[in-house]
Amino acid sequence: MSNHALENAAEALRNARCAIAFTGAGISVESGIPPFRGPGGIWSKYDPELFDKGYFKRHPAEVWPVLRKIFYSGMERVKPNAAHLALAELEAAGRIAAVVTQNVDGLHQKAGSSVVYEYHGALRRMQCMECRAFFDSDGIDLEVLPPPCPACGGLLKPDVVFFNEGVPEDVHRAATDLARRSDCCLVVGTGGQVAPAGRIPILVKNAGGTVIEINRQDSLYTYNTSDYFLEGKAGDMLPRLARAVLEG
Ligand SMILES: [Zn+2]
């Protein structure tokens, strides 16, 4: 990548009236969180059917140990990386209005981002499938699985979007409204394969906005949607872009 592309992208972000970031698994791999897709990803080790909502409800005793192993073992040790911190810095400086993320790890909030739309839910919450109440995951004992609802004894499910489950309607509406009002979208670590979240950068583009993409390889956005493609690791490229924006 040329410095020219970085400078041009930084200028687009500086000139934006309302910019948003749209992030995916690629921003969290450097924090040690495995992606779902690709070699070494979660789908290469586990049958995606385990993450089907209907299957989970029928076989919670089979699925819960996998959930605990993948999502709740050592999560407290996972730290945001330089890319998450750069987005928090851009928000604090008034350069981006919000982060729309497909990640469920909560690392944007841990890094200090305050406006975060979690398109696919969040691991830090669980919801009871019976009484619909929500609970903070930290307060749920995972020694005995599946963990019973503290209120009614029903089945608890991580408040993340499983297969055959819709995205949270309020988040979807708020994020798409914001995208339509934005004139710049910074895409980080996502190839845009997952609908409907993957439409966010396209909504910004269709409204006449600029799309800046940071990815390790080209994606569905690169040739049709992105105005600037900064090829590289999020943890390298995003801090460089943030410095160029904030010091330029
Ligand atoms: Zn309950």
Side-chain angles (χ1 to χ4, degrees), residues 56 60 64 67 125-137 139-142 146-159 162:
F56 170 75
W64 251 111
L67 295 175
R125 284 189 308 269
M126 293 186 192
Q127 186 179 24
C128 175
M129 298 285 87
E130 305 298 327
C131 71
R132 317 306 296 176
F134 289 94
F135 300 93
D136 188 332
S137 302
I140 302 298
D141 181 2
L142 296 180
C149 168
C152 78
L155 175 63
L156 286 181
K157 174 183 165 294
D159 186 26
F162 276 39

Side-chain angles (χ1 to χ4, degrees), residues 17-109:
R17 178 180 40 76
C18 177
I20 58 171
F22 176 64
T23 68
I27 196 170
S28 289
V29 287
E30 289 165 63
S31 290
I33 295 184
F36 286 96
R37 282 150 211 284
I42 289 169
W43 301 150
S44 71
K45 300 193 183 94
Y46 298 97
D47 186 344
E49 191 182 20
L50 294 171
F51 301 86
D52 176 274
K53 191 176 182 184
Y55 191 89
F56 170 75
K57 284 171 91 166
R58 290 191 304 276
H59 307 280
E62 178 190 352
V63 178
W64 251 111
V66 177
L67 295 175
R68 179 173 64 187
K69 183 164 191 285
I70 298 176
F71 296 122
Y72 294 104
S73 302
M75 270 305 272
E76 65 286 347
R77 290 193 303 272
V78 175
K79 301 267 188 300
N81 63 56
H84 298 102
L85 295 168
L87 286 181
E89 205 181 344
L90 286 169
E91 184 194 1
R95 295 301 188 179
I96 60 168
V99 176
V100 178
T101 188
Q102 300 163 92
N103 298 341
V104 294
D105 52 41
L107 288 178
H108 287 299
Q109 290 93 334

Side-chain angles (χ1 to χ4, degrees), residues 25 61 88 146 187 196:
V187 174

